[in-house]
Structures are given as C-alpha cells and as structure tokens.
Amino acid sequence: MIEEHREKRKVRTVDLVSMKQRGRKIKCLTCYDYSFASILNRTNLDLVLVGDSAGHVMQGKSNTLSVTMEHMRYHVECVAAAIKRPLLVADMPFLAIGPDMDKTARNAGALMTAGAEAIKAEGASKSHCLQYEYLVSIGIPVMGHIGMQPQSVNVYGGFRIQGKGGRLSDRLEQEAKDLENSGCFAAVLELTDPSVATALSKSVKIPIIGIGAGNECDGNILVLQDMLGMNTSFKPKFLKHFANLDKVIRESVDEYCREVDAKTSEPI
C-alpha cells in the first residue's frame, strides 16, 4: 500500500481544477511537523495545508493572531521535508498581506522558498484581490479563504457561521467570483450555511474547499489533530473524530510509566 501511494503522480494546482470538473472530491488536512507529514505523504490526501491554525494546535492560543512569518517558515520547512505527492500550501499569517505589494510578495516568497507550492490568504476585498493577482503574475499560486476568517475573529466578535440571509449569501458568492477573477486556483469556505456553500460551489469554476460548510463543496479540509481526536474537549458540530488518539496516547504513556516502574520497559 505504501508503494502504491509513492507511485501516484504529484498533485499540482491545475489538478484540483480538473478534479472539480470531473466531480472528484478534493481531500485536505493540515499539518505542522515532519513526523505527521511523513505519514500523510503515504495517504490518499490531495492537499496538505501548513495552517496558521498552528496557533491553536502547536502554541495553545485561543486564536491565530500570534502566529508570525518566522513560525510559518519553520513549520513549512518541517512539513516540506516529507510531503512529496500532495500539493503543499502554506497560510499567510496575520498582517502578512498588506497595502504594500512588495512586502506581500516578500512574505509569500519566503513561504515558497521554505518549501510551499502555493499560499493561502484570508480575505476577498478589492485590495486583497489586487494583491492575489500580483502574486499570481510573479509565479506564486494563491488559494483564497472566505466565509469565517479566523484572522478577523475580533471583527466578527467570535467564531460565527457566515452566509445566513440573502445579502450575506450574495456577498459570499461575489467574493468567490472575485477570487476566481484574480487568478486564485481554489478557495477555502469556512463556517458557512451548507445550502449557501452548495450554491456557491456551483457558481464558480475554481474548487471550493469547505470546513464547517457541509459535504457538497468540491472538497473538505480539517485540522489534523482535531479529526484524530487529540483534543476531545474541542468538538464543534461540524467536526467528526475519526480516531481517539487522546485516549491511545494517554494509555500508551501510562503503560510505559508502569513498565519503567517495573523495570520492564526495555527488551532484554
């Protein structure tokens, strides 16, 4: 099985668009370190995101705002050392995109030279889209991010579902079209009413990757540690635990401790 995955060809940005056209779902997870990346590289994933969700998972913070470019470069380098087949995308952290296009390009370029094959950025304002168009023009593929945008959590007043009501739904659809017109190859749609997500996915040619947006988007993404059940206290309605590693790890460590006490932890 491992050899089968190794023989599959490299996933590129154009492949995701082709997958949408063929009606094939795009499977994505986050990753932040080499150990997990080496496992994910031997799975059927299409895309691995080095997310600024590292603020939650790796730093224990309540939001993503503390994640810096230095943090992101470090995690991208770790993951890139193992990810060979899935497309590797890296988040632009808080304030990495600004009114200065040169600064934006330097930040995006830093993630690309660290090993990313594309960047993901939150926001779809006119200013954002102009910068995405510029990044694409200089050879940096861009994935957009609309709906709930964690870097704007203080503007929203918390993590809230987006797209409820006609005006908000229309705005999301327009944002998706603006991202497409700016050259983005795909977009993440977070915490959005499933009926809105379904209609939005059909309104654009680029893939829409949902998280907390139902199952009718062109693909889905979850935070790796969340779906593996490594933080059982975090279980929003949209999250399914596909394992319970919290229990497995605790029981394994406790068994190790018992064997150390019993002087049987090392084979003789």
Side-chain angles (χ1 to χ4, degrees), residues 11-254:
V11 179
R12 304 291 183 184
T13 57
V14 293
D15 295 320
L16 301 189
V17 177
S18 175
M19 289 173 68
K20 172 168 182 160
Q21 293 171 345
R22 291 182 284 123
R24 179 185 164 191
K25 295 293 185 181
I26 301 166
K27 301 165 287 291
C28 319
L29 285 173
T30 66
C31 189
Y32 317 94
D33 67 275
Y34 175 83
S35 296
F36 268 123
S38 63
I39 297 172
L40 296 186
N41 190 57
R42 292 174 285 141
T43 70
N44 289 315
L45 285 176
D46 302 303
L47 184 152
V48 170
L49 172 69
V50 183
D52 62 358
S53 46
H56 298 292
V57 177
M58 308 303 289
Q59 298 179 359
K61 302 295 179 62
S62 61
N63 57 51
T64 64
L65 305 184
S66 62
V67 178
T68 66
M69 278 299 303
E70 289 74 19
H71 294 146
M72 288 304 303
R73 271 190 58 88
Y74 170 78
H75 289 298
V76 169
E77 288 175 349
C78 292
V79 175
I83 293 297
K84 306 303 177 186
R85 192 192 65 80
L87 180 68
L88 182 57
V89 182
D91 261 337
M92 291 282 275
F94 184 55
L95 297 182
I97 287 186
D100 184 341
M101 285 194 180
D102 288 339
K103 178 182 177 183
T104 299
R106 286 195 299 273
N107 287 335
L111 297 180
M112 297 291 286
T113 57
E117 296 165 318
I119 62 100
K120 181 175 77 65
E122 296 181 14
S125 67
K126 182 177 180 179
S127 173
H128 282 98
C129 289
L130 285 173
Q131 302 221 45
Y132 303 158
E133 187 174 353
Y134 176 62
L135 291 178
V136 173
S137 74
I138 61 173
I140 300 177
V142 179
M143 172 183 273
H145 185 144
I146 55 177
M148 173 64 204
Q149 298 165 40
Q151 292 175 12
S152 299
V153 63
N154 292 322
V155 175
Y156 295 126
F159 293 91
R160 302 177 183 276
I161 294 178
Q162 305 295 303
K164 287 187 175 181
R167 291 179 60 187
L168 289 175
S169 175
D170 291 343
R171 187 190 73 187
L172 282 175
E173 184 172 331
Q174 185 58 54
E175 288 179 346
K177 291 179 179 178
D178 290 342
L179 291 176
E180 181 177 37
N181 291 334
S182 70
C184 292
F185 68 88
V188 168
L189 180 65
E190 182 168 354
L191 281 184
T192 303
D193 184 271
S195 63
V196 173
T198 300
L200 191 152
S201 297
K202 295 177 180 178
S203 71
V204 292
K205 294 180 181 178
I206 62 173
I208 301 298
I209 313 298
I211 176 169
N215 294 312
E216 298 303 320
C217 292
D218 302 302
N220 289 82
I221 186 167
L222 285 175
V223 171
L224 176 64
Q225 282 81 351
D226 290 348
M227 61 84 69
L228 289 177
M230 296 180 70
N231 179 10
T232 55
S233 63
F234 178 69
K235 198 171 189 296
K237 291 181 180 180
F238 70 85
L239 175 63
K240 176 180 179 180
H241 288 157
F242 288 80
N244 186 357
L245 291 197
D246 177 280
K247 180 181 179 182
V248 171
I249 293 170
R250 283 188 292 106
E251 289 180 348
S252 299
V253 171
D254 284 342

